[in-house]
Amino acid sequence: MATGNILKLGIPAGSLQDATIELFRRSGFTITVEKRSYFPSIDDEEIECMLIRAQEMARYVENGVLDAGLTGHDWIEETGADVEEVAELRFSKVSRRPVRWVLCVPENSPVQTVEDLRGKRIATEAVGLTKRYLARHGVDAIVEFSWGATEVKPPKLADAIVEVTETGSSLRANNLRIVDEILQSTTRFIANKKALTDPWKVKKINDIVIMLKATMAAEGMVAMMMNVPKARLEEILKIIPALQKPTVAPLSDPDWLDVTTIINQDMARTLIPQLKAAGARGIIEYAITKIID
């Protein structure tokens, strides 16, 4: 480990752990987790990693145990931690969609709105979020912390639950019906406010964020390069849905041009035949790993 500047970085343990480590890997950082160790190694001697549950991350970043970390916006709201949200990173354990905190009841429950839960019992891991939600609606209900398996608690142990969902499959499997959506959440890169007064840490954090966001921006995108007859250039440019504008460069043959562009990968299968029919030749599709604005 280097003896100079060190950034103490929290990696979320649990459901986000594998997705976070994979994102860092594709961004150029190799994180290795040993069994029964909460201190993963990383191939950057200026970073010291620690595995922390996403639910606790904001609190440890706020009090300076960590300089920075990744956690959900939901857990920042739940804990009320005073941290700086440096960047939004739209990834989760399953997809790139935000996760949702929802109020649910059994399918056969008479409850139709949150107002119907006055005096009832609600189980949830997000007690603070739930209490604030109920207060906004003027509903007085009993909110109990759930230690897990929240979906199985209604109707015997609770009248309703507030639970996080990404696809809704677990809710449906447990015959639960969504009454209302409380919050949408995405992953955030957060930093300790005191750490952000240190120019070295600010640069290190920003450098990491640039790489993470560049990797995410490249997801599902490919580059295409082709030779285009100069006489057919305008026609071919109308076909290409470029990320910004295609790059057009001369070739040694004055009648031909090189055209390079970036497109959504799922468009390539229909676009390539169109380009060939329009006169493009030497069409090459290749993967890209990062896009930096």
Side-chain angles (χ1 to χ4, degrees):
M1 181 65 67
T3 57
N5 288 313
I6 295 294
L7 183 78
K8 296 174 292 183
L9 178 67
I11 303 297
S15 62
L16 272 179
Q17 180 176 322
D18 290 346
T20 300
I21 290 173
E22 174 61 15
L23 174 60
F24 270 78
R25 185 194 66 77
R26 292 186 290 111
S27 301
F29 303 91
T30 300
I31 298 174
T32 305
V33 181
E34 301 292 340
K35 288 183 178 179
R36 295 181 293 277
S37 173
Y38 289 92
F39 297 92
S41 62
I42 184 170
D43 62 344
D44 184 328
E45 62 181 12
E46 295 178 337
I47 302 175
E48 184 179 280
C49 292
M50 185 174 184
L51 284 176
I52 297 288
R53 284 174 59 84
Q55 294 90 326
E56 302 176 288
M57 185 73 72
R59 179 161 54 90
Y60 286 115
V61 171
E62 178 186 31
N63 65 29
V65 172
L66 298 168
D67 296 313
L70 289 85
T71 189
H73 176 68
D74 46 359
W75 296 116
I76 301 170
E77 291 292 313
E78 170 68 11
T79 60
D82 185 20
V83 296
E84 188 72 25
E85 295 189 24
V86 178
E88 179 183 28
L89 302 171
R90 282 183 171 261
F91 77 97
S92 61
K93 64 179 180 179
V94 175
S95 70
R96 295 297 181 252
R97 298 192 302 269
V99 297
R100 301 186 299 149
W101 283 91
V102 290
L103 175 66
C104 301
V105 297
E107 283 285 2
N108 59 1
S109 170
V111 172
Q112 297 299 320
T113 69
V114 62
E115 286 78 11
D116 297 331
L117 287 168
R118 285 190 172 90
K120 303 296 185 181
R121 191 177 304 274
I122 304 172
T124 184
E125 190 177 356
V127 172
L129 282 176
T130 302
K131 286 185 174 180
R132 288 192 290 273
Y133 165 76
L134 293 172
R136 290 196 301 271
H137 290 272
V139 173
D140 187 15
I142 301 165
V143 181
E144 293 183 340
F145 179 76
S146 174
W147 290 95
T150 307
E151 300 98 326
V152 304
K153 294 187 174 179
K156 292 186 177 181
L157 301 178
D159 299 291
I161 64 169
V162 170
E163 180 66 323
V164 67
T165 183
E166 193 167 344
T167 65
S169 58
S170 180
L171 301 177
R172 291 189 294 271
N174 286 280
N175 297 312
L176 295 172
R177 167 171 53 85
I178 296 176
V179 174
D180 196 10
E181 180 179 283
I182 294 175
L183 179 75
Q184 289 195 6
S185 176
T186 55
T187 304
R188 307 296 167 94
F189 193 107
I190 61 174
N192 172 272
K193 291 191 172 181
K194 184 177 179 181
L196 292 179
T197 64
D198 180 330
W200 183 88
K201 289 182 179 180
V202 170
K203 182 180 185 305
K204 190 67 178 179
I205 287 169
N206 287 339
D207 288 351
I208 295 170
V209 168
I210 285 171
M211 298 307 293
L212 296 178
K213 294 182 76 172
T215 298
M216 295 184 69
E219 288 181 352
M221 308 297 286
V222 294
M224 291 187 64
M225 183 168 60
M226 68 204 79
N227 294 334
V228 173
K230 185 177 289 187
R232 309 290 293 274
L233 178 63
E234 291 305 317
E235 177 185 350
I236 286 174
L237 290 182
K238 290 177 182 178
I239 297 173
I240 298 173
L243 177 66
Q244 293 182 354
K245 290 184 178 179
T247 299
V248 180
L251 294 174
S252 57
D253 186 332
D255 294 328
W256 287 78
L257 298 166
D258 174 76
V259 175
T260 304
T261 190
I262 296 174
I263 62 167
N264 288 313
Q265 186 174 20
D266 57 6
M267 300 178 66
R269 62 190 180 194
T270 56
L271 185 60
I272 290 175
Q274 293 178 42
L275 292 169
K276 182 173 174 58
R281 295 294 181 265
I283 303 170
I284 300 173
E285 175 190 337
Y286 55 96
I288 55 173
T289 60
K290 296 171 186 65
I291 298 175
I292 301 172
D293 291 332

